[in-house]
């Protein structure tokens, strides 16, 4: 058999010209479940997690999967079984984690706009920590906790003002971003939190952005956060844990982010040097656990060669896979069956009525109508950002485990998309 791996995608490979995820043929899945279809590799997710676990061997560390990257229940269940906690950003995500069997004590709740009812529900569920993003939120959380006769465990999200060198929409640790409390105001915010009877200070956190491909911004942020830990503890406020957020990038198009274990070797050396190596650590990775574990299968509907551009119209669109439209993100697009022939340049676009509805531009592909294509690196921020725009039902999802394929979400029907509406 002739096997051909795709660089950066160890669980996706051609065997005799046909694309597989683990030991399952993707064309067979498309036949059974239709397209567009998301397919994930369980081994790819667990091996991405294992890189972090190796990095933290012998340390006190809790990995909290940032579930907004991919919040499908079966995926949450997989990470819960593997010992992960969860970083949530809404009451809806809390419900998902609890439904999937996640441990509430290992949940941390991030986000700049938690409502009082979300706070109440999270307190009643016994979550591990609220990552508070403003002084006003401290006061609101204190009031909610006191009304329930509880103390809310809190960490303050610091904005370390470092440039994560990523896309502006996914950079979160700069002064001009809406996230966290400014470095200069952090100490006074901690003093206020420590004085409020409804709060219990347990930690400090930061999260500087997403799709970070260099160690430098992490090392800078760590220094800035540890300077604050020094100051906060000198003021008599003990921090049980330090949370360094998520953000590690993946290889979309030749990107070369550090491996999680190599990155943490560097970061842990700095923590040790500054005397915090024994502290309880938390991290919140999302994309790096799931991004390259998934592909989106789509069928070529029509070829529309033109004077200036050739369009390849496929049955997946911006509602299924919003990253190209939203961030001009690059996803590799490869044929599910290799075929000899001459390739031409195609813009791969969806059926939605927007010029922003494209999946890839200027791609060299040898195509015929009816062909199947695989959009790679589709495990993170694709299905979780999908919508019903143009009254398109969301795709189905399959999780592959060796030679087994499990349908983990059925395709939405049109009726599913207007289930909550009523006629006059
Ligand atoms: C989105 C997010 C993460 C995860 O980011 P990734 O780039 O997917 O690793 C972690 N923490 C917070 C607070 C987030 O908002």
């Amino acid at each position: 058999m002739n096997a051909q791996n795709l660089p950066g995608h160890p669980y996706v490979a051609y065997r005799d010209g046909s694309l597989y995820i683990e030991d399952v043929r993707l064309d067979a899945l498309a036949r059974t479940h239709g397209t567009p279809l998301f397919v994930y590799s369980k081994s790819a997710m667990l091996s991405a997690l294992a890189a972090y676990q190796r990095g933290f061997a012998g340390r006190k560390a809790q990995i909290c999967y940032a579930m907004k990257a991919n919040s499908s229940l079966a995926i949450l269940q997989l990470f819960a079984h593997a010992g992960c906690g969860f970083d949530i950003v809404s009451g809806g995500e809390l419900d998902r984690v609890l439904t999937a069997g996640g441990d509430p004590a290992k949940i941390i709740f991030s986000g700049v706009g938690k409502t009082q009812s979300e706070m109440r529900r999270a307190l009643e569920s016994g979550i591990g920590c609220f990552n508070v993003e403003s002084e006003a939120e401290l006061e609101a959380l204190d009031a909610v906790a006191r009304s329930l006769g509880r103390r809310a465990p809190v960490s303050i999200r610091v904005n370390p003002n470092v440039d994560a060198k990523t896309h502006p929409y996914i950079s979160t640790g700069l002064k001009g971003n809406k996230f966290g409390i400014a470095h200069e105001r952090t100490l006074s915010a901690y003093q206020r939190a420590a004085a409020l009877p409804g709060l219990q200070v347990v930690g400090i956190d930061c999260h500087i952005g997403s799709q970070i491909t260099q160690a430098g911004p992490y090392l800078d942020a760590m220094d800035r956060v540890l300077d604050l830990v020094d100051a906060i503890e000198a003021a008599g406020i003990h921090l049980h844990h330090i949370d360094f957020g998520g953000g590690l990038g993946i290889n979309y198009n030749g990107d070369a982010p550090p491996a999680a274990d190599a990155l943490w070797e560097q970061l842990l050396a700095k923590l040790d040097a500054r005397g915090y190596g024994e502290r309880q650590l938390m991290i919140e990775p999302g994309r790096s656990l799931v991004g390259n574990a998934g592909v989106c299968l789509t069928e070529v509907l029509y070829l529309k060669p033109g004077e200036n551009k050739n369009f390849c119209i496929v049955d997946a669109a911006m509602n299924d896979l919003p990253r190209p439209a939203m961030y001009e993100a690059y996803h590799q697009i490869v044929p599910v069956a290799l075929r000899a022939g001459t390739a031409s340049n195609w813009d791969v676009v969806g059926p939605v009525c927007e010029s922003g509805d494209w999946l890839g531009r200027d791609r060299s592909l040898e195509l015929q109508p009816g062909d199947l294509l695989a959009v790679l690196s589709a495990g993170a921020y694709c299905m979780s950002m999908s919508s019903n725009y143009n009254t398109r039902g969301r795709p189905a999802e399959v999780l592959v485990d060796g030679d087994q394929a499990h349908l983990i979400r059925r395709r939405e029907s049109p009726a599913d998309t207007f289930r909550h509406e009523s006629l006059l």
Side-chain angles (χ1 to χ4, degrees):
M1 186 181 57
N2 173 18
Q4 183 187 336
N5 271 80
L6 298 174
H9 303 269
Y11 295 88
V12 185
Y14 290 102
R15 297 185 194 167
D16 291 331
S18 183
L19 196 62
Y20 282 69
I21 229 176
E22 299 194 29
D23 296 323
V24 172
R25 264 179 84 136
L26 291 175
D27 58 355
L29 286 181
R31 258 199 313 277
T32 307
H33 300 287
T35 52
L37 180 71
F38 282 97
V39 186
Y40 308 116
S41 156
K42 177 179 167 183
S43 297
M45 292 183 190
L46 292 180
S47 91
L49 176 63
Y52 282 100
Q53 290 167 329
R54 277 196 304 279
F56 289 120
R59 305 282 179 155
K60 283 184 281 180
Q62 175 66 54
I63 299 168
C64 291
Y65 168 50
M67 62 177 281
K68 72 179 189 291
N70 188 323
S71 53
S72 298
L73 291 178
I75 289 170
L76 303 181
Q77 183 186 25
L78 181 72
F79 284 118
H81 278 171
C84 289
F86 296 90
D87 175 65
I88 65 169
V89 292
S90 73
E93 288 197 341
L94 174 61
D95 285 345
R96 277 189 178 272
V97 172
L98 298 178
T99 302
D103 178 356
K106 293 185 190 167
I107 294 176
I108 50 188
F109 191 172
S110 300
V112 296
K114 303 173 192 81
T115 65
Q116 296 196 12
S117 77
E118 287 174 323
M119 289 173 175
R120 211 170 291 120
R121 174 117 171 76
L123 277 166
E124 285 166 348
S125 307
I127 70 160
C129 186
F130 289 83
N131 285 356
V132 172
E133 305 228 13
S134 64
E135 283 102 334
E137 186 189 336
L138 280 178
E139 305 292 330
L141 182 58
D142 170 65
V144 171
R146 280 188 292 116
S147 76
L148 294 174
R150 291 179 184 248
R151 289 181 81 192
V154 297
S155 157
I156 290 178
R157 176 166 175 183
V158 184
N159 183 333
N161 194 26
V162 299
D163 185 354
K165 303 202 165 60
T166 183
H167 189 284
Y169 283 10
I170 51 175
S171 173
T172 56
L174 273 172
K175 259 189 179 166
N177 298 132
K178 69 178 175 181
F179 298 98
I181 290 183
H183 200 264
E184 310 78 63
R185 293 220 306 274
T186 303
L187 179 57
S188 65
Y190 268 98
Q191 284 167 327
R192 179 68 184 148
L196 290 170
L199 303 184
Q200 179 172 19
V201 172
V202 296
I204 187 167
D205 67 283
C206 73
H207 171 69
I208 56 173
S210 201
Q211 186 53 19
I212 300 169
T213 54
Q214 301 164 32
Y218 279 107
L219 290 161
D220 293 347
M222 179 174 273
D223 265 325
R224 304 272 292 169
V225 170
L226 294 182
D227 291 346
L228 286 169
V229 177
D230 290 343
I232 293 160
E233 298 206 325
I237 301 168
H238 176 68
L239 299 173
H240 172 259
H241 75 248
I242 309 178
D243 172 353
F244 292 101
L248 182 58
I250 61 170
N251 178 359
Y252 284 102
N253 184 26
D255 310 289
D261 46 352
L263 172 67
W264 277 95
E265 195 180 313
Q266 282 189 66
L267 288 167
L268 288 167
K270 182 181 280 291
L271 267 179
D272 287 340
R274 294 200 49 173
Y276 291 108
E278 299 295 304
R279 197 64 62 106
Q280 172 71 42
L281 305 175
M282 313 264 261
I283 54 161
E284 308 163 354
R287 186 190 314 271
S288 53
L289 293 181
V290 293
N292 273 344
V295 305
C296 180
L297 301 181
T298 183
E299 184 182 323
V300 176
L301 298 175
Y302 303 105
L303 296 179
K304 194 171 165 182
E307 217 169 287
N308 300 318
K309 282 235 171 240
N310 298 322
F311 291 104
C312 161
I313 301 161
V314 298
D315 66 359
M318 64 186 288
N319 73 294
D320 309 302
L321 223 146
R323 297 188 66 258
M326 205 156 160
Y327 317 111
E328 304 206 315
Y330 185 97
H331 285 263
Q332 277 189 63
I333 301 176
V334 301
V336 168
L338 290 178
R339 183 193 312 123
T342 15
S344 336
N345 269 359
W346 298 95
D347 275 19
V348 180
V349 302
V352 162
C353 304
E354 301 272 345
S355 292
D357 180 28
W358 56 275
L359 302 182
R361 287 174 165 156
D362 276 323
R363 302 304 175 86
S364 173
L365 291 162
E366 171 359 52
L367 294 174
Q368 286 171 18
D371 281 357
L372 290 170
L373 297 174
V375 181
L376 304 186
S377 309
Y381 302 106
C382 291
M383 190 61 177
S384 60
M385 292 178 100
S386 66
S387 77
N388 291 128
Y389 188 39
N390 281 208
T391 306
R392 291 169 51 86
R394 287 185 181 75
E397 293 181 300
V398 168
L399 183 72
V400 167
D401 179 8
D403 61 3
Q404 300 293 307
H406 303 279
L407 182 68
I408 60 169
R409 182 197 296 256
R410 67 170 178 78
R411 184 175 306 283
E412 279 177 347
S413 68
D416 287 331
T417 71
F418 50 75
R419 190 173 38 178
H420 299 298
E421 298 172 42
S422 35
L423 294 169
L424 287 179

